[in-house]
Amino acid sequence: MFQIPRGTRDFTKKEMQKRKYVENIIRSTFISFGYNEIQTPTFENLELFTAKSGDKIIEELYSFKDKGGRDLALRPELTAPVIRFYVEKLQMEPKPLKLFYFGNCYRYDRPQKGRYREFTQAGCELIGTNTPEAIAELIALAYTILKNAGVKKLVLNIGNLNILSLIFKKFKLPKEQQTYITPLIDKSKYDEIFDALKDFKIKSEDINLLIDLLQTKNISEIKDFIIDDEKGKEELERFEKIIGLLINAYEIENYNIKIGIVRSLDYYKGVVFEIDAPSLGAEKQLCGGGSYELVSLFGGRDTPTAGFALGFDRTIVALESENYKFETPKLDVYVIPLDSNLIEKALEIVQLLRKNKVSVDWDLLKRGVSKSLKYASSINAKHAILIGQNEIKQNSITLKDLKTGKQKLVKINDLVELFMK
Ligand code: AMP
């Protein structure tokens, strides 16, 4: 017996129906915001991922040497591959360039509910603009996708790494102290931040003020703190404009200012955001993104970039935990010839309907009517078409509604039109 590798999943047809249903909503929402889909390879040169994050990221990757001795890695995310693609081939495209993707990612994570070693991300990159309108639209897009998919309880958290840096600067925190406390900020471990800063000989009242600012939901508190910094004031005004657009134009109500959002990938700069589904508990983050800088690192001409990645698998888990009623696709018709010499006629009808985009299956096992009807119900067929000698003599078939059990004689010539309604 073979077993599935740890952290991977097989999907049943029922699960695939749910996934395809949500995937279609995600795709159509991206398209409705003017994005176009692209695709990149499943594996890349390892260096693409170590360029910014350093060798420490290798622990989290599936990396390997190929037979030619090249160091490769299965992609852990798609932003670096998409920017690699952009720098290699798309720099001349008209701006802004709005690209979206859908793809499997691989991380050597510790598997648990909502955390897998193979998972799917849907995401996008917005290249060539970072106006407040552009960033607000990007955040609204992520939120709208999850709303359209049907997730009811969502919380949007918005932060700003430039403002966070300014706050650090005002507290005169050296780089290594910032590096030490950043992951603690990301995990909201305020007690540990307090202890660490105490060890760094920062005054208790300053630490309390910093922790206060990291937690405040009130921009004016931050404004008062960095009031004498021109750059900080400008950044805050931009930030306020983005939030204003999200509230007024995009009608997003459930949001928090959270200046302490620190995305784990190292290339983010400026506005960052996360969208959580509180119903999920520990692995509640459905989406994360923001402004970032990678183009020049990959050798391209500098241009603003922003994007987000949405955890597709977690979105499904969130919908399931909210008892979402997934639409199950139904087969339009199941065709049953009542006699073996009617098989040809049955196939003719099958083909006629399929050519007219009606979904059709038919009795390939040549079993009796009652077994065939049972099977038709089990595969969610809406109707059965029974083809018998008597009906054929009248150029007709019997159409049975499998929900109500009602049946009627229908002329073959009228069949297509019936299903077009
Ligand atoms: P990240 O690229 O780490 O910002 O992740 C973006 C989104 O992908 C997260 O918000 C999660 O929803 C999802 N995600 C990240 N890692 C995993 C994983 N191991 N399994 C399932 N989903 C994940």
Side-chain angles (χ1 to χ4, degrees), residues 9 76-77 107 109 114-121 263-265 268 275 285-289 309-314:
R9 290 152 300 156
E77 51 101 26
R107 292 186 193 174
D109 262 330
R115 184 168 287 281
Y116 315 99
R117 290 185 170 170
E118 182 188 52
F119 60 99
T120 304
Q121 283 190 343
R263 307 277 310 130
S264 50
L265 293 167
Y268 285 101
I275 304 178
Q285 197 197 109
L286 295 185
C287 176
L310 191 145
F312 177 66
D313 309 85
R314 275 189 210 171

Side-chain angles (χ1 to χ4, degrees), residues 147-363:
K147 275 269 152 221
N148 285 356
V151 187
K152 287 212 178 66
K153 288 198 206 93
L154 291 171
V155 180
L156 166 67
N157 295 311
I158 317 171
N160 187 315
L161 293 172
N162 292 339
I163 295 171
L164 185 64
S165 294
L166 279 172
I167 294 175
F168 284 159
K169 200 169 109 192
K170 287 215 76 173
F171 281 106
K172 301 196 174 60
L173 282 189
K175 200 87 204 144
E176 72 270 21
Q177 295 184 8
Q178 292 182 25
T179 312
Y180 186 83
I181 65 165
T182 300
L184 299 177
I185 294 175
D186 197 37
K187 296 197 173 70
S188 306
K189 292 189 170 163
Y190 300 112
D191 290 347
E192 287 180 40
I193 296 170
F194 188 93
D195 293 344
L197 292 176
K198 200 88 196 132
D199 288 346
F200 293 140
K201 308 274 180 288
I202 313 267
K203 281 192 289 182
S204 294
E205 57 188 274
D206 280 352
I207 304 177
N208 283 332
L209 178 57
L210 172 65
I211 290 177
D212 232 31
L213 289 170
L214 291 176
Q215 292 184 87
T216 186
K217 295 187 172 168
N218 194 344
I219 296 194
S220 60
E221 230 178 284
I222 302 167
K223 216 175 199 170
D224 292 345
F225 183 70
I226 51 174
I227 196 80
D228 52 352
D229 187 306
E230 270 315 305
K231 251 178 93 184
K233 255 168 56 187
E234 245 173 63
E235 187 68 38
L236 264 179
E237 272 163 26
R238 253 176 62 83
F239 195 47
E240 279 183 304
K241 177 131 200 229
I242 293 168
I243 290 160
L245 285 165
L246 289 172
I247 300 169
N248 300 319
Y250 295 107
E251 298 169 358
I252 294 176
E253 285 158 4
N254 219 357
Y255 75 96
N256 292 316
I257 310 288
K258 198 171 157 197
I259 225 64
I261 294 181
V262 189
R263 307 277 310 130
S264 50
L265 293 167
D266 301 323
Y267 43 72
Y268 285 101
K269 292 263 159 25
V271 177
V272 280
F273 69 96
E274 292 173 348
I275 304 178
D276 293 343
S279 62
L280 287 190
E283 302 302 325
K284 64 177 191 281
Q285 197 197 109
L286 295 185
C287 176
S291 297
Y292 60 87
E293 286 173 6
L294 267 186
V295 173
S296 53
L297 181 77
F298 289 177
R301 249 168 299 113
D302 219 0
T303 187
T305 41
F308 64 78
L310 191 145
F312 177 66
D313 309 85
R314 275 189 210 171
T315 305
I316 309 268
V317 180
L319 288 167
E320 284 168 343
S321 74
E322 289 183 357
N323 291 321
Y324 182 81
K325 292 267 171 293
F326 288 91
E327 251 176 49
T328 31
K330 290 208 179 325
L331 185 76
D332 292 318
V333 187
Y334 191 79
V335 175
I336 308 167
L338 299 183
D339 201 318
S340 57
N341 57 19
L342 290 169
I343 288 180
E344 252 174 55
K345 195 74 207 167
L347 250 177
E348 234 176 70
I349 292 172
V350 168
Q351 280 301 87
L352 170 76
L353 291 171
R354 282 183 182 160
K355 278 181 189 157
N356 285 284
K357 300 203 166 60
V358 181
S359 58
V360 187
D361 198 359
W362 67 295
D363 178 23

